[in-house]
Amino acid sequence: MVLYARNVVSEKTTLLDLSDAPTQEEFETVMQQLSDTQHAGPFIILTEKNPADVKSTAPAKEPGETERLSSLDNIVSNLPTPTPPKPQSPTNFPPDRSEELIVSTNPVSGLYVAIGNTYFPVDDPILNGELQPPFPQNVYAQLSTYWEKAGTATIVGPQTYTHEVSFEAGMTVTDSTTLSAELGVSIGKLSAKIAATTSHSVTTSQSRTVTDSYELKVGDSETAVYVLWQLIAKIRFVDADNNPIEWAGILKTPIANFKVTFPNERRLSMFNTVYSDRTDFKT
C-alpha cells in the first residue's frame, strides 16, 4: 500500500510504503515516524496521486488580486460588514463587539477528517466507506463579519487627547493550518480557496501585532466618546440550518478502530482594517 503525506505547513511530501495489509503496529509506527521527521503537522494523506502534483482549481485572478488576497496591509475590499453600534450617552459604552453579519453560506465538498494530527479526504479509498456514523452529506462554508472593540475613550473638553492602541491582526498559525487541512489546500493557496467557496476574499496570513495611534481634539463644553473598531472575519462549516458541524466518529478497519474527528472550531481572521467612530455630546 502506497500513501502520500503532505505537510500543510512546509508542503513537503513524503511517500509511505506499507504492506498490502498493514498491521495496526506498522501503521502507527509509520505515522509516528512521519510526525518525528516533520515536526510541524498536521498532514494531508492521499492514496491515488502525489499531493504535490495536485493543481489549484481556484478561478483566475483579476489583475492585482494576488496582492489583495495575500497582504494584510491592504484594506479588505468588497467585504460586507455590519454597522458598529453608537453610544447613546457619554456614559453608555457600546458592547465589545457588533452584531454578526453572515456574508455567505456556500456548499463545499472534498473536506478532510482527522485521525490524530493526520488528515484524510472523506471520500478517500483508505476510509473505504467505513466511517461510523457517516460524515454529513450537506456541508457549507460560512463566512461572517463583525466589528470588535479595539479601544474606547471618553474625553471631556477642552483638551487634546492622544492614545496608542495595539491589537492582533491576521490568523493564528493553528487556525490557519487546521483550516488549510480541512479544505485540503496548502496555506499559500488558502485565501484563493476561501474566495472560491464564499465568493469573497479573506486574508488568512499568520497573526502579527498592529499599533494604531490617534489624536482627538475636544472643544469646551463637549464630551467625546471615541471607539476604535477592528474588523473580524469568521469562517465555520455549518449544516443546512446554519448549525456548526459537530461530527466525530470511528473508522472501522480489519486491524483496529480509529477515532476520527472534524475539528470545526471557528477560524478568526483579524484584519488591520479599523473604523474610528467619534460621537460628540454637549456637556
Side-chain angles (χ1 to χ4, degrees):
M1 176 187 296
V2 175
L3 302 178
Y4 294 100
R6 184 182 69 196
N7 186 305
V8 300
V9 177
S10 67
E11 298 191 23
K12 177 182 178 182
T13 300
T14 303
L15 186 147
L16 310 176
D17 192 3
L18 288 79
S19 61
D20 291 338
T23 64
Q24 180 177 358
E25 183 178 359
E26 181 184 0
F27 184 82
E28 291 179 349
T29 298
V30 170
M31 291 298 104
Q32 184 60 49
Q33 291 174 346
L34 180 64
S35 297
D36 291 341
T37 56
Q38 300 193 51
H39 303 289
F43 311 101
I44 293 176
I45 300 292
L46 291 178
T47 58
E48 295 185 330
K49 60 175 63 176
N50 188 326
D53 297 331
V54 178
K55 304 301 181 182
S56 173
T57 57
K61 296 180 177 63
E62 295 295 329
E65 184 179 1
T66 300
E67 182 180 357
R68 178 169 62 84
L69 287 175
S70 62
S71 175
L72 276 173
D73 294 327
N74 292 332
I75 292 177
V76 180
S77 177
N78 300 321
L79 188 63
T81 63
T83 302
K86 280 185 172 293
Q88 301 302 309
S89 72
T91 58
N92 174 236
F93 290 145
D96 290 337
R97 51 178 288 182
S98 71
E99 293 183 354
E100 191 171 308
L101 174 68
I102 296 178
V103 177
S104 57
T105 306
N106 294 62
V108 61
S109 60
L111 293 175
Y112 285 54
V113 290
I115 301 178
N117 72 337
T118 304
Y119 283 75
F120 296 82
V122 172
D123 56 358
D124 195 285
I126 195 172
L127 300 182
N128 197 29
E130 295 297 330
L131 288 179
Q132 300 295 331
F135 190 77
Q137 291 294 314
N138 298 315
V139 181
Y140 301 82
Q142 184 177 88
L143 169 65
S144 58
T145 59
Y146 60 88
W147 294 97
E148 188 168 84
K149 195 163 59 178
T152 305
T154 300
I155 308 102
V156 179
Q159 66 168 300
T160 298
Y161 178 83
T162 58
H163 194 56
E164 189 174 86
V165 174
S166 296
F167 51 88
E168 293 300 311
M171 181 177 277
T172 66
V173 174
T174 300
D175 280 349
S176 184
T177 54
T178 303
L179 181 61
S180 174
E182 288 170 343
L183 286 171
V185 295
S186 64
I187 293 176
K189 300 173 184 175
L190 183 55
S191 292
K193 180 70 175 182
I194 291 294
T197 56
T198 65
S199 301
H200 291 282
S201 62
V202 178
T203 304
T204 54
S205 303
Q206 294 179 1
S207 61
R208 63 184 180 88
T209 301
V210 175
T211 300
D212 184 85
S213 299
Y214 56 87
E215 179 181 285
L216 301 175
K217 295 181 180 180
V218 182
D220 191 12
S221 300
E222 285 189 345
T223 298
V225 178
Y226 181 85
V227 185
L228 186 68
W229 297 97
Q230 180 185 11
L231 180 60
I232 312 291
K234 184 175 80 174
I235 304 164
R236 296 190 82 167
F237 298 101
V238 299
D239 60 21
D241 296 322
N242 286 332
N243 296 316
I245 300 294
E246 297 179 354
W247 181 91
I250 298 293
L251 170 63
K252 296 184 177 181
T253 72
I255 57 175
N257 294 334
F258 298 91
K259 293 182 179 180
V260 187
T261 60
F262 182 66
N264 184 26
E265 298 296 328
R266 63 180 185 172
R267 316 293 172 199
L268 299 182
S269 186
M270 303 170 288
F271 298 100
N272 63 340
T273 299
V274 292
Y275 174 76
S276 300
D277 189 17
R278 170 178 171 172
T279 304
D280 291 328
F281 299 93
K282 291 295 183 182
T283 302

